[in-house]
Amino acid sequence: MGRYVARRLLQMIPVFIGSTFLIFSMMYALPGDPVRALAGEQSRDPAIIEALRHDLGLDQPLLVQYWNYLTNLIQGDFGTEIASKRPIAEIIADAFPVTIRLTLFAFAFTVLVGIGLGVIAGLRPNSVRDKGLLTLTLVLISMPSFVLGYLMQYIFAFQFQLVTPTVTDSENFGDLFLPAIVLGSLSLAYVARLTRTSMAENLRADYMRTAVAKGLPRRRIVGIHLMRNSLVPVVTFLGTDIGNLMTGAIVTEGIFNVKGVGLAIYEALFRREGATVVGIASLIVLVYLLASLLVDLLYAVLDPRIRYA
């Protein structure tokens, strides 16, 4: 197990470097100049602009800029925004906890409701509740998140006035309840369908017939034998879905005015602050990689046949 974890951690290094370099290159290729944007519509001496670019290292080749950024990042220095002169680490420290809080809320909603609906439908394949789940998940999958967000906002905030239309306090879970539901709805649909399909397939497996023939209680058959084997593909999806929820939170945060990484990325893209975008993206990449490692380790817990040499 220890060797496997060490090998996976070493494999994360080239993946992280490749991902951040790709994002850095995309920001480098964007049109515009953040230094010229500081002047706005006012004209400045080109010599002054070139001097500022030189001081910030923006006149260097792409590989040199990325190497400087990566070496600083290893030391914990995310850089400084050009326009606001504010450390990027401070911006991330303010925005990232908000998105993490929203993502965890949405993830908990996805796990509890999604797996619950999938179990209810999977135990009775082709029944009325199974067809009802199919209809519900098809609606959620086919509806874009921004459409669902505005629809939920209109119904629950403006019509029934059960919640506020926008988030006024990002630390209040009550304010984050509706955005979390919108954010987790698409993932909920996939989790429910995946759980239902996996359980319906495992119900016909030989080990299930053996457990029934041995006279085991139904609670043990479903809770131990059926659930543990059926949740392996679900856990795989949920592991990668954490990162998807964080990136999907950008749209949801814009609808409900949540001041998380979505707003920070939007403002950084508008001002062409590439270091801010790459810094936030780097943390999201790390979340993806660590979640993937955790999922692989959970396989051995769900299925005792899996062993890591």
Side-chain angles (χ1 to χ4, degrees):
M1 177 71 76
R3 291 182 178 181
Y4 175 80
V5 173
R7 187 169 66 250
R8 284 296 304 272
L9 291 175
L10 291 176
Q11 291 174 353
M12 290 181 183
I13 297 176
V15 175
F16 178 78
I17 293 176
S19 302
T20 53
F21 178 72
L22 179 61
I23 299 170
F24 195 91
S25 302
M26 294 172 63
M27 294 303 303
Y28 182 86
L30 284 179
D33 189 346
V35 177
R36 291 185 180 274
L38 290 175
E41 298 180 355
Q42 300 177 359
S43 59
R44 280 193 177 185
D45 188 354
I48 298 177
I49 293 179
E50 289 302 321
L52 289 174
R53 287 174 53 83
H54 178 73
D55 293 338
L56 296 171
L58 299 178
D59 59 341
Q60 297 177 346
L62 170 63
L63 292 178
V64 177
Q65 290 189 40
Y66 176 72
W67 175 255
N68 293 334
Y69 174 80
L70 189 61
T71 52
N72 292 331
L73 186 63
I74 294 175
Q75 300 174 11
D77 182 11
F78 286 85
T80 304
E81 276 200 343
I82 299 174
S84 63
K85 305 296 182 181
R86 188 182 178 192
I88 297 175
E90 182 180 326
I91 298 174
I92 295 177
D94 291 339
F96 217 74
V98 177
T99 301
I100 289 291
R101 195 178 299 114
L102 177 61
T103 300
L104 291 179
F105 202 167
F107 184 76
F109 170 73
T110 300
V111 171
L112 296 177
V113 180
I115 294 179
L117 291 177
V119 170
I120 292 174
L123 291 176
R124 298 284 185 178
N126 300 319
S127 62
V128 175
R129 60 189 183 187
D130 183 25
K131 295 178 180 178
L133 175 67
L134 176 63
T135 303
L136 175 63
T137 54
L138 284 177
V139 171
L140 293 177
I141 292 174
S142 61
M143 186 176 297
S145 59
F146 64 89
V147 175
L148 180 62
Y150 286 120
L151 180 62
M152 298 283 280
Q153 193 179 54
Y154 174 77
I155 294 175
F156 292 101
F158 295 106
Q159 293 296 320
F160 295 103
Q161 297 181 354
L162 298 176
V163 295
T164 56
T166 57
V167 175
T168 57
D169 184 8
S170 59
E171 296 184 358
N172 186 352
F173 281 98
D175 286 0
L176 293 177
F177 181 74
L178 189 60
I181 291 178
V182 174
L183 178 60
S185 294
L186 179 60
S187 299
L188 180 147
Y190 285 119
V191 169
R193 291 174 67 92
L194 188 59
T195 304
R196 178 265 172 201
T197 303
S198 183
M199 292 195 66
E201 181 180 355
N202 286 321
L203 276 173
R204 301 188 296 268
D206 293 337
Y207 69 87
M208 287 297 297
R209 286 193 289 267
T210 301
V212 174
K214 290 170 64 177
L216 296 177
R218 178 173 175 81
R219 179 179 299 178
R220 180 175 177 82
I221 294 175
V222 175
I224 302 298
H225 297 276
L226 181 59
M227 287 292 294
R228 289 182 65 175
N229 289 277
S230 300
L231 287 180
V232 171
V234 180
V235 168
T236 304
F237 175 82
L238 289 174
T240 58
D241 191 54
I242 295 178
N244 293 332
L245 289 174
M246 293 188 65
T247 54
I250 297 175
V251 178
T252 307
E253 287 176 359
I255 297 173
F256 293 95
N257 193 32
V258 181
K259 296 181 180 179
V261 297
L263 180 62
I265 291 179
Y266 172 79
E267 293 178 348
L269 288 173
F270 183 77
R271 298 192 302 263
R272 204 180 177 277
E273 296 280 358
T276 304
V277 178
V278 179
I280 295 175
S282 299
L283 291 180
I284 295 178
V285 170
L286 284 177
V287 172
Y288 264 109
L289 295 176
L290 294 177
S292 177
L293 175 61
L294 180 60
V295 166
D296 288 347
L297 297 179
L298 284 176
Y299 286 159
V301 177
L302 295 174
D303 192 345
R305 296 172 298 179
I306 298 176
R307 290 292 181 266
Y308 297 107

